[in-house]
Amino acid sequence: MVCMASSGTPENIVTARELGIVACKRCTKASPMGVDRCPRCNHKLHSRDPLSLQRVWAFWIVGFLCYIPANAYPMLRTQTLFKVDESTIIGGAVDLAHYGSYGIAAIILFASVVIPLAKFWAIAYLAISVKQNINFSNHRRQFMYEIVEYIGRWSMIDIFVVAILSALVQLRTLASINPGPAAIFFALSVIFTMLSAQAFDSRMIWDVRAKGRSRTS
């Protein structure tokens, strides 16, 4: 995208599509519109992914469906000499808060509940906003998309914690910690959410401004 600015503020924003340019999504090399494949990496070029939103919603729905049992089923199964305890994500955080570990409980709730729900909301909002005329800045849409992409790399932290605990606490008949069925669903939910975010063609964000400009001209 090209910004023509005077006195430090953008006055006119021209998209690459309007300039007849298409960028490769693999290596970012710009090529003239109409070129079928990137001359640098031979990746197929397209100005906009026609099936982007379909893939976004397909991955989003599967990820959300996996997120429900991830919170309903137990995440950890703790077995001691005399009893077996199973705790869900929220139940484990409540237990930690009950024993005074408020900071750890808050981190677990934030990383396992707040952030995943915020990602679902952000992806759905981006997918809806590029199809409907919503009064929201394109720069903020782009910033929201970059945040979702950045958070995605840290989404598996809960699974890593469960895996470490399961590996360390294995005292045979005395005590052992094993992952519950929720761990599988949570991992699937994270994977499909990341795929949903990656399937979103962020170039469509700037088409909203171009459409509005064409209607007013």
Side-chain angles (χ1 to χ4, degrees):
M1 162 178 349
V2 179
C3 294
M4 300 179 181
S6 59
S7 67
T9 58
E11 296 293 338
N12 188 22
I13 297 179
V14 182
T15 64
R17 171 183 274 186
E18 293 172 333
L19 294 175
I21 300 173
V22 57
C24 177
K25 294 200 69 176
R26 176 180 293 174
C27 69
T28 70
K29 178 178 175 58
S31 302
M33 193 81 71
V35 177
D36 186 55
R37 292 192 172 272
C38 176
R40 177 187 291 168
C41 65
N42 201 36
H43 184 65
K44 186 173 179 59
L45 299 177
H46 41 73
S47 179
R48 299 294 184 271
D49 188 351
L51 300 178
S52 173
L53 292 181
Q54 287 90 328
R55 287 197 296 269
V56 167
W57 284 116
F59 290 134
W60 188 94
I61 291 172
V62 177
F64 189 78
L65 290 177
C66 291
Y67 184 72
I68 296 174
N71 285 272
Y73 292 154
M75 176 67 77
L76 281 178
R77 185 174 184 270
T78 305
Q79 182 176 357
T80 59
L81 187 60
F82 299 105
K83 65 176 181 177
V84 175
D85 291 330
E86 293 182 340
S87 59
T88 61
I89 296 175
I90 298 177
V94 171
D95 291 339
L96 287 171
H98 178 73
Y99 290 110
S101 300
Y102 298 106
I104 299 176
I107 292 174
I108 292 176
L109 287 176
F110 185 75
S112 303
V113 179
V114 177
I115 290 181
L117 290 177
K119 285 177 62 179
F120 282 120
W121 177 86
I123 295 172
Y125 179 83
L126 288 172
I128 294 173
S129 66
V130 297
K131 297 297 291 182
Q132 299 182 6
N133 188 16
I134 298 178
N135 187 20
F136 197 66
S137 170
N138 291 331
H139 294 281
R140 293 181 180 177
R141 286 191 182 96
Q142 183 67 31
F143 183 66
M144 182 187 298
Y145 172 75
E146 292 174 357
I147 290 178
V148 172
E149 281 280 281
Y150 179 80
I151 293 177
R153 68 190 70 179
W154 303 101
S155 300
M156 282 293 190
I157 189 170
D158 302 76
I159 305 302
F160 294 153
V161 171
V162 172
I164 292 171
L165 287 175
S166 301
L168 292 178
V169 186
Q170 293 294 335
L171 303 178
R172 297 188 179 181
T173 57
L174 295 179
S176 64
I177 295 180
N178 296 297
I184 299 176
F185 287 104
F186 191 87
L188 290 174
S189 176
V190 171
I191 291 172
F192 282 109
T193 306
M194 293 175 63
L195 291 175
S196 179
Q198 292 176 359
F200 181 76
D201 192 345
S202 60
R203 296 173 295 184
M204 294 187 298
I205 294 174
W206 304 99
D207 290 341
V208 178
R209 185 185 184 106
K211 290 176 183 177
R213 189 167 60 240
S214 64
R215 283 195 295 265
T216 56
S217 61

